[in-house]
Amino acid sequence: MVEKKDTFLTVPPFECAWREDLKFREAGRGCVAFEAYACNDVTLVFRQNVGSQGYHYKRDSSPHYTVILGSHRNRRLRIEVNGKNVVDVAGIGLCCSSSFQSYWISIYDGLISVGNGNYPLQGVVFQWRDPNPNCGVQYIGLSSWDKHVKYRNVNVLSLTPHVPQWKHVSFGVSQVEDGEGEEIIMMDYEKWGLKNFLESWELSDMLFIVGSEERPVPAHKAILAASGNFSFCSPSSFVVKLPMVSYGVLHALLQYIYTGWTQILQHQLGSLRALSLQFEVMSLVKQCEENMERLKQDDKLTDPSKIVELTYPCIQLHSSTLASLPISIERLRQFKLTGQYSDVNIYIESYGLVARAHKVVLSLWSVPFAKMFTNGMSESMTSELTLKDVPAEAFMAMLDFLYDGELNDKIIDSGALLLQLLLLADQFGVTFLHQECCKMLLDCLSEDSVCPLLQVISSIPSCRPIRETLERRISMNFDYYISSSTDFVSLDEATFINIIKHPDLTVTSEEKVLNAILMFGMRTKELLGWEMVDELLVNSKPEILFGERLQSVYDLLPFVRFPLLPYSLLEKLQKSNITSHIPVLQDLVDEAINFIQCGQARLENEEKVRFQHRHSSYRELQYICDGDNHGVLYFAGTSYGEHPWVNPLLAERKTITITASSPRSRYTDPKVLVSRTYQGTCYAGPRLENGHICSWWMVDLGQDHQLMCNYYTLRQDGSKAFPRSWNFQGSLDGKNWTNLRVHENDGTVCKPGQFASWSITGPNALLPFRYFRVVLTRPTVDATNPWNFSLCYLELYGYFH
């Protein structure tokens, strides 16, 4: 509900105007829209209580927000929290000294948004999120600095709690920091949307001739026909005469359709209802009737000169999307299928006609399309558009999205098609589609597709968030990505450097970092280590072996932390061909040996890093023998080396969790598996999962720990229910599982109380997991209880962090 305030108010310098009713309906959540006329410093204060007559925000000691438009002589936007400056940016939301300018400011649980225009929650130009939100602010003060500020048409709106403002600022934005290190979100794409075409001659294909003055008002057939019953909009008809309708009433109707919001004088509600009913815009008919009934029941509210606000119930923050407007998506889909009201035929070279579309629908999503159709290019003068080098299937999927805002299941299930769609969304500037594609690609990402995907999107600026996510993923699983394949050598140099320099780079040995740099420099298609490179240099030179990437090798080698390598390996490197051919490597190895022998003093800041363990380095827990005390679960029982061993499930501070497929009972006791004592009966009973019977024991290492498992040990309890087919699995979330070793008809366990251990080999041994489980996939040899998985001991080994 919007409440109209004074139509004109002048605030003298260094003063602030307050009114009891100029307040948010809900504390911490609301929006104020207004017009201001000023040279600089249009200032609004948001606090928990009304300020005094002599109030000024510079002297306020109580919690408050202050937003200043046109600070520093109309050059900057400032936001203050409790008098402390937290945002100071140039060129945002500036004032106008020649006429009234429209603004709005919203606060929603600490998210402060600033916009230009008459329509709140549209035209966002700046957002900032308070890390410690003041959810109590409610009253609004209109203030100034050293010059008079004139305010008018001040309106306070309630923000619907379900409006997810912040999630729309996840991709397609630039992130910078203010002087205090707080994150600032700024929209970096052009303003667009259906509201830009309201009563615009651009792309219009029909006219209303309104009133006795016969005023022409342009519109778009497809939009109107999708919002109501505008059957008069036939292909041969483009003029509709409304001699008995005033322009203000028609404007309100069109504004409601194109923006989801409008306003009208009370005495014109009946006329607007009649026009809406004539064209069957039923959501507006209903709102008119509700307001008319409310005014009828309370005479005190009746004032013909007052303005009534009407808002489509589904309006969202970015109301450019058709789903948030009073427009039928089903009708638009039908128009695309039939070509009704179409004004452009789209062809793809070597494919043919792909769609009979509507320029206004394409343009409201895409700035490139809008420019193509409106700025005098050849496409704006014809009803045909031919595209080159565009995948037809992906383009048709993009068109579907432009009409209904949804991705079909075929796209979601096809990674290759999703990637093509992402590139098209970037090419045509379809921001929302780009966001959806980025999120879905990350959701369906497999380990084998990370490097190929990163190779494709690394050069696309709008894909920065997904690029940074993939770079971090490779850095945190570095051993896997450089050992499972050579895909990483096809990455561009800047991307690979980002990975090597990443603060989250996690490796089991610095030797692997050295090997990866050499493989990258050679663009090799086979896995190799530095020793093979050493052999190749016997009959070659670095310039030949590394080619144009030789300088990259020189630049990357200092990021290897040579002092962390074993001394024997450093001595071997010191005597190798590779160090004699690559001086920078020789210097780094000599430096590391000298550091180990006698320490190093007076290191530069950037050099100190080479002598420190990585933040996310692994600890090797190596299998020695069955039942040893070198495994992860034993290590957890010492609180990772802090005290003598105790059963980790009985410790005061539990470091791990063990669960079974069946409920805990006398004979299903998780603490037995880490008790290090023999138990005659201990089993996990069967359960039904995804239509299949299975039994399992699962270990959770905790949210702060992961393990690259390369060995595990089991011990049979006192029964003869020997397992024959089971899987050993790892998971990051406890839901999606990766097989680390598959046992089929494995007869290793053949005695009660027997220990048995197996190695984990292959690329999956280099993937870190939080959860591990042994899961029975077929019955045991026991005919009585064939699905009881009987174990009394479990231990895991590998690289732990």
Side-chain angles (χ1 to χ4, degrees):
M1 177 179 171
V2 180
E3 297 174 348
K4 191 74 175 176
K5 304 302 171 189
D6 289 340
T7 56
F8 194 92
L9 173 68
T10 299
V11 179
F14 309 107
E15 291 190 13
C16 189
W18 298 92
R19 285 178 55 162
E20 286 285 350
D21 53 351
L22 197 60
K23 58 180 288 191
F24 294 155
R25 178 162 296 185
E26 180 181 4
R29 295 179 176 181
C31 179
V32 56
F34 59 95
E35 296 179 14
Y37 182 107
C39 295
N40 51 265
D41 295 280
V42 173
T43 304
L44 275 79
V45 183
F46 302 86
R47 66 196 308 269
Q48 297 177 10
N49 302 295
V50 173
S52 64
Q53 185 175 0
Y55 171 91
H56 197 269
Y57 64 92
K58 286 294 184 182
R59 300 188 297 271
D60 193 353
S61 60
S62 63
H64 67 282
Y65 291 122
T66 305
V67 179
I68 307 172
L69 305 173
S71 177
H72 293 76
R73 299 298 175 188
N74 201 30
R75 293 193 295 269
R76 309 182 72 80
L77 166 73
R78 292 182 62 188
I79 299 178
E80 297 181 0
V81 177
N82 304 332
K84 179 183 178 183
N85 186 45
V86 294
V87 170
D88 190 349
V89 293
I92 302 293
L94 302 182
C95 304
C96 181
S97 59
S98 60
S99 63
F100 276 93
Q101 189 82 6
S102 299
Y103 308 93
W104 59 264
I105 300 171
S106 73
I107 298 179
Y108 193 93
D109 295 343
L111 172 63
I112 299 178
S113 305
V114 180
N116 281 329
N118 294 313
Y119 315 128
L121 303 184
Q122 301 177 21
V124 179
V125 296
F126 187 84
Q127 289 186 307
W128 175 79
R129 178 172 51 186
D130 188 354
N132 300 299
N134 180 352
C135 295
V137 294
Q138 192 166 15
Y139 288 88
I140 304 163
L142 308 176
S143 189
S144 63
W145 182 237
D146 59 346
K147 290 182 173 63
H148 288 77
V149 177
K150 297 179 181 180
Y151 294 92
R152 74 179 184 188
N153 296 332
V154 182
N155 299 291
V156 180
L157 298 88
S158 297
L159 288 181
T160 306
H162 70 266
V163 175
Q165 298 187 76
W166 188 249
K167 76 174 186 179
H168 292 288
V169 196
S170 53
F171 295 94
V173 300
S174 59
Q175 300 180 356
V176 297
E177 289 187 352
D178 66 0
E180 303 298 323
E182 300 293 347
E183 187 182 74
I184 296 175
I185 305 297
M186 299 176 64
M187 315 299 287
D188 65 358
Y189 50 82
E190 297 183 56
K191 301 174 187 177
W192 47 266
L194 193 56
K195 64 185 177 69
N196 291 334
F197 297 96
L198 172 62
E199 298 183 22
S200 169
W201 292 95
E202 300 287 7
L203 308 182
S204 62
D205 54 4
M206 67 161 294
L207 283 176
F208 289 100
I209 304 298
V210 187
S212 57
E213 71 276 18
E214 296 188 346
R215 176 171 179 170
V217 180
H220 307 82
K221 290 181 180 180
I223 299 302
L224 297 182
S227 62
N229 185 7
F230 289 78
S231 57
F232 54 83
C233 297
S234 64
S236 60
S237 172
F238 62 92
V239 176
V240 177
K241 294 185 177 181
L242 299 172
M244 305 305 294
V245 177
S246 69
Y247 166 72
V249 173
L250 177 63
H251 172 76
L253 173 66
L254 295 179
Q255 186 179 43
Y256 181 82
I257 293 172
Y258 280 69
T259 72
W261 175 90
T262 192
Q263 58 183 5
I264 196 166
L265 293 170
Q266 278 188 14
H267 75 271
Q268 293 180 314
L269 271 174
S271 299
L272 180 58
R273 176 194 173 278
L275 188 63
S276 304
L277 187 60
Q278 176 184 342
F279 295 141
E280 298 184 16
V281 183
M282 301 312 296
S283 60
L284 183 54
V285 171
K286 181 179 179 181
Q287 290 203 39
C288 289
E289 291 175 345
E290 289 176 349
N291 277 274
M292 293 167 67
E293 182 64 25
R294 181 171 58 85
L295 295 172
K296 183 178 178 181
Q297 292 178 358
D298 191 346
D299 292 337
K300 294 180 180 179
L301 298 176
T302 303
D303 183 348
S305 64
K306 279 194 173 181
I307 292 177
V308 177
E309 300 273 352
L310 302 169
T311 304
Y312 183 60
C314 294
I315 192 169
Q316 300 173 3
L317 175 63
H318 289 291
S319 60
S320 300
T321 58
L322 293 175
S324 68
L325 299 176
I327 293 174
S328 170
I329 299 301
E330 287 299 324
R331 289 188 194 176
L332 278 180
R333 287 196 191 110
Q334 192 64 28
F335 296 161
K336 183 171 72 72
L337 290 175
T338 63
Q340 189 174 9
Y341 311 124
S342 168
D343 55 1
V344 60
N345 293 334
I346 302 178
Y347 298 84
I348 291 179
E349 194 175 68
S350 73
Y351 183 88
L353 180 68
V354 292
R356 290 186 291 167
H358 308 83
K359 291 181 180 179
V360 67
V361 175
L362 274 55
S363 299
L364 73 90
W365 285 96
S366 165
V367 172
F369 269 132
K371 290 181 176 179
M372 192 182 301
F373 295 140
T374 61
N375 68 356
M377 296 174 64
S378 59
E379 291 84 0
S380 65
M381 309 301 292
T382 179
S383 60
E384 293 188 353
L385 171 64
T386 301
L387 302 173
K388 299 180 180 179
D389 302 321
V390 171
E393 187 177 8
F395 185 81
M396 287 187 284
M398 184 178 77
L399 282 180
D400 289 341
F401 183 87
L402 298 185
Y403 276 81
D404 59 27
E406 297 178 358
L407 288 176
N408 61 49
D409 293 338
K410 183 179 179 181
I411 298 295
I412 296 171
D413 295 337
S414 173
L417 199 55
L418 195 58
L419 180 57
Q420 290 179 345
L421 195 56
L422 171 70
L423 299 178
L424 281 179
D426 177 74
Q427 178 181 346
F428 290 99
V430 187
T431 305
F432 285 175
L433 178 59
H434 189 276
Q435 293 176 7
E436 290 301 311
C437 289
C438 284
K439 293 172 184 176
M440 288 182 180
L441 276 171
L442 290 176
D443 288 342
C444 67
L445 200 62
S446 67
E447 301 298 341
D448 295 337
S449 63
V450 170
C451 285
L453 177 58
L454 183 55
Q455 185 180 354
V456 173
I457 59 93
S458 59
S459 61
I460 303 175
S462 62
C463 290
R464 187 186 70 179
I466 193 171
R467 172 178 59 80
E468 292 176 347
T469 299
L470 296 179
E471 288 176 352
R472 184 172 185 269
R473 185 163 179 167
I474 294 175
S475 299
M476 296 183 67
N477 301 282
F478 192 75
D479 284 28
Y480 174 84
Y481 287 106
I482 66 165
S483 303
S484 60
S485 74
T486 59
D487 287 345
F488 73 94
V489 304
S490 299
L491 298 173
D492 63 83
E493 295 182 36
T495 300
F496 187 71
I497 289 173
N498 288 341
I499 293 169
I500 293 295
K501 294 171 60 177
H502 203 286
D504 291 330
L505 182 68
T506 304
V507 293
T508 55
S509 169
E510 293 297 320
E511 185 179 6
K512 294 191 176 182
V513 183
L514 173 61
N515 292 341
I517 292 172
L518 298 176
M519 284 191 284
F520 177 79
M522 293 173 60
R523 286 192 172 92
T524 180
K525 296 301 180 184
E526 58 183 79
L527 299 172
L528 51 83
W530 70 267
E531 291 167 307
M532 187 173 294
V533 179
D534 190 62
E535 293 178 11
L536 293 172
L537 284 173
V538 173
N539 300 310
S540 184
K541 296 180 179 180
E543 293 79 6
I544 297 174
L545 206 58
F546 300 112
E548 62 184 18
R549 284 189 174 179
L550 179 59
Q551 186 58 49
S552 294
V553 172
Y554 289 164
D555 294 340
L556 287 165
L557 283 172
F559 292 100
V560 182
R561 303 190 180 186
F562 288 98
L564 305 183
L565 289 171
Y567 187 77
S568 58
L569 178 57
L570 288 171
E571 287 185 314
K572 193 174 180 180
L573 275 169
Q574 191 178 42
K575 300 172 183 177
S576 65
N577 290 315
I578 191 171
T579 52
S580 62
H581 282 83
I582 303 179
V584 65
L585 179 59
Q586 181 73 65
D587 293 341
L588 291 167
V589 171
D590 290 345
E591 176 190 61
I593 290 175
N594 182 58
F595 178 80
I596 293 173
Q597 287 179 339
C598 54
Q600 185 79 312
R602 291 186 301 222
L603 296 171
E604 297 294 333
N605 287 336
E606 61 270 17
E607 293 178 336
K608 288 180 181 179
V609 175
R610 292 204 299 273
F611 298 85
Q612 300 171 358
H613 285 278
R614 298 185 186 275
H615 294 304
S616 52
S617 58
Y618 283 93
R619 177 190 181 105
E620 184 177 10
L621 299 173
Q622 186 177 6
Y623 169 81
I624 304 297
C625 62
D626 294 343
D628 63 23
N629 58 1
H630 297 281
V632 173
L633 304 186
Y634 181 91
F635 192 41
T638 67
S639 291
Y640 310 117
E642 292 183 3
H643 55 67
W645 180 86
V646 296
N647 188 316
L649 297 188
L650 296 177
E652 182 177 347
R653 181 169 65 91
K654 292 181 173 59
T655 51
I656 63 169
T657 304
I658 297 180
T659 53
S661 53
S662 57
R664 185 188 297 259
S665 68
R666 177 181 177 185
Y667 297 116
T668 303
D669 190 353
K671 67 178 180 291
V672 169
L673 271 66
V674 286
S675 66
R676 307 187 66 78
T677 58
Y678 172 75
Q679 183 79 12
T681 303
C682 184
Y683 60 82
R687 67 186 298 170
L688 194 65
E689 290 184 353
N690 300 320
H692 301 283
I693 297 176
C694 64
S695 305
W696 47 258
W697 291 97
M698 181 175 70
V699 177
D700 176 6
L701 299 178
Q703 63 179 0
D704 297 327
H705 297 288
Q706 292 181 333
L707 172 71
M708 288 194 294
C709 187
N710 57 27
Y711 233 94
Y712 80 101
T713 300
L714 303 179
R715 187 181 188 185
Q716 180 73 17
D717 71 356
S719 72
K720 295 183 179 181
F722 307 131
R724 291 292 175 257
S725 297
W726 73 96
N727 295 341
F728 178 63
Q729 301 175 321
S731 172
L732 289 170
D733 58 9
K735 298 176 182 178
N736 302 293
W737 294 92
T738 299
N739 286 332
L740 302 179
R741 182 164 183 138
V742 176
H743 299 262
E744 292 286 348
N745 298 317
D746 188 331
T748 304
V749 180
C750 55
K751 296 178 181 179
Q754 176 187 344
F755 282 98
S757 300
W758 295 268
S759 63
I760 309 299
T761 58
N764 286 344
L766 302 174
L767 287 175
F769 294 106
R770 169 183 170 177
Y771 299 87
F772 294 88
R773 73 173 183 174
V774 283
V775 53
L776 199 62
T777 56
R778 292 183 183 175
T780 66
V781 300
D782 181 42
T784 305
N785 296 294
W787 285 98
N788 281 355
F789 201 172
S790 302
L791 300 177
C792 66
Y793 178 87
L794 174 64
E795 187 57 275
L796 311 174
Y797 303 88
Y799 292 95
F800 177 76
H801 81 91

